[in-house]
Amino acid sequence: MVAPDRDGVDFYRTARHRPPAPPLRAHMARAFEGSPERWAHHFAALLTTSPDSPLHDGRWVLSPDPPLRLRPNHPQGESPGEYWRSLLVEGDPDGYIEWFIHNGSWEILPLRAMPDADDPRVKAYRKQARDGVLPPVLLWWVSGLDCHLVLDGHARLAAAIAESVEPAVLELQRTVPQDEVDSGTEQAVATYETELERFTALRAAQGPRVPDGAEFAGPALARRLDELRTAHRPTWAWPLPGGVREWDRIAREQVGEGGWEYG
């Protein structure tokens, strides 16, 4: 439920989440060591076949370099463990996502309670973290929450935090439709060619003091093509199975007869 002042959203976890990937074995972690591309292909194959995958119609990007690593205004000298722990949304099973606390989409919402550092699975992953072979955490950016969800890898993220190492991360996001990519690419290339012609004419009239057109227009073209390839698009959502009646039942169980206010 979005807050009335639009500064955040309430959430409630139903304990129905099932990760799209089976447990990752140690031999695979060592075989894929240092290869985010191989992990991306591995998870992409699982996401396209798993019944628990969130994929729906559209184009999707699986990126090894999410913007979470670039959160502004975090304290200087903060350890990796402190940094990634600060991104986790608290609350189990319910809580509140504050949209302005980090001035952007910097929070991470676990889809189940984070395991303790001494959990057996976390202990196994902590050794992999120390050895530098910890598999990546799969995050899913959801536009309606304006944050990332831990789609797979709660224990791996807990291990990285416990060992205070930078976790490998893959970010899943819905991106620009192919027809928009094609038309946008044509427009961007046409703009680039027009700029080259303009600078060629200027250099012919004013001499070499006019900068080279490719140096001026090339970076803008590269940025636009990257935006077309990776820009976020809204995430689809579906009502809770059972509809309003089921939502009301859960609300009464969790917060009393008054339930939540929602529209």
Side-chain angles (χ1 to χ4, degrees):
M1 180 193 70
V2 177
D5 56 5
R6 305 295 191 270
D7 67 352
V9 60
D10 292 298
F11 69 85
Y12 176 79
R13 290 190 293 241
T14 64
R16 297 178 182 177
H17 171 65
R18 297 293 180 271
L24 300 178
R25 304 303 181 188
H27 68 86
M28 181 180 291
R30 296 191 180 280
F32 285 14
E33 176 185 355
S35 179
E37 295 81 9
R38 293 186 69 184
W39 280 119
H41 283 292
H42 174 75
F43 278 107
L46 291 170
L47 287 165
T48 55
T49 58
S50 170
D52 298 308
S53 170
L55 297 187
H56 51 70
D57 289 347
R59 289 181 64 246
W60 294 78
V61 171
L62 198 56
S63 170
D65 192 25
L68 284 167
R69 302 187 189 280
L70 306 175
R71 175 169 66 88
N73 302 324
H74 64 276
Q76 294 294 321
E78 196 173 38
S79 70
E82 293 170 331
Y83 175 77
W84 286 89
R85 185 180 292 108
S86 73
L87 300 183
L88 295 178
V89 178
E90 297 181 353
D92 183 38
D94 59 331
Y96 186 74
I97 299 171
E98 171 60 69
W99 282 336
F100 298 108
I101 191 170
H102 291 308
N103 194 28
S105 307
W106 308 110
E107 293 186 294
I108 298 174
L109 175 63
L111 286 176
R112 60 180 177 84
M114 289 291 290
D116 296 330
D118 57 356
D119 180 278
R121 294 165 301 166
V122 176
K123 284 184 176 180
Y125 284 129
R126 290 181 69 171
K127 183 179 186 307
Q128 294 181 15
R130 293 193 296 271
D131 294 342
V133 297
L134 184 66
V137 178
L138 180 59
L139 300 179
W140 174 28
W141 185 80
V142 175
S143 59
L145 300 176
D146 195 29
C147 78
H148 291 81
L149 308 186
V150 182
L151 193 58
D152 187 87
H154 293 76
R156 299 193 295 278
L157 182 55
I161 291 173
E163 293 297 321
S164 197
V165 300
E166 190 75 21
V169 174
L170 289 172
E171 180 199 50
L172 177 69
Q173 67 176 59
R174 184 167 175 259
T175 189
V176 183
Q178 189 61 50
D179 58 348
E180 188 174 329
V181 173
D182 294 340
S183 62
T185 299
E186 289 181 7
Q187 183 178 0
V189 171
T191 300
Y192 174 75
E193 292 174 345
T194 299
E195 285 295 280
L196 290 185
E197 293 175 359
R198 184 171 71 88
F199 272 87
T200 298
L202 287 173
R203 286 174 69 88
Q206 302 179 25
R209 62 193 180 93
V210 175
D212 180 78
E215 293 180 4
F216 179 83
L221 174 64
R223 286 193 300 271
R224 179 57 182 151
L225 294 179
D226 185 64
E227 289 172 358
L228 288 167
R229 185 179 63 86
T230 63
H232 285 179
R233 282 296 182 269
T235 312
W236 292 2
W238 290 264
L240 187 74
V244 173
R245 182 175 299 177
E246 177 68 5
W247 183 254
D248 283 336
R249 184 189 67 79
I250 293 174
R252 286 193 299 272
E253 288 182 356
Q254 298 300 319
V255 298
E257 289 300 321
W260 289 300
E261 295 180 3
Y262 58 90

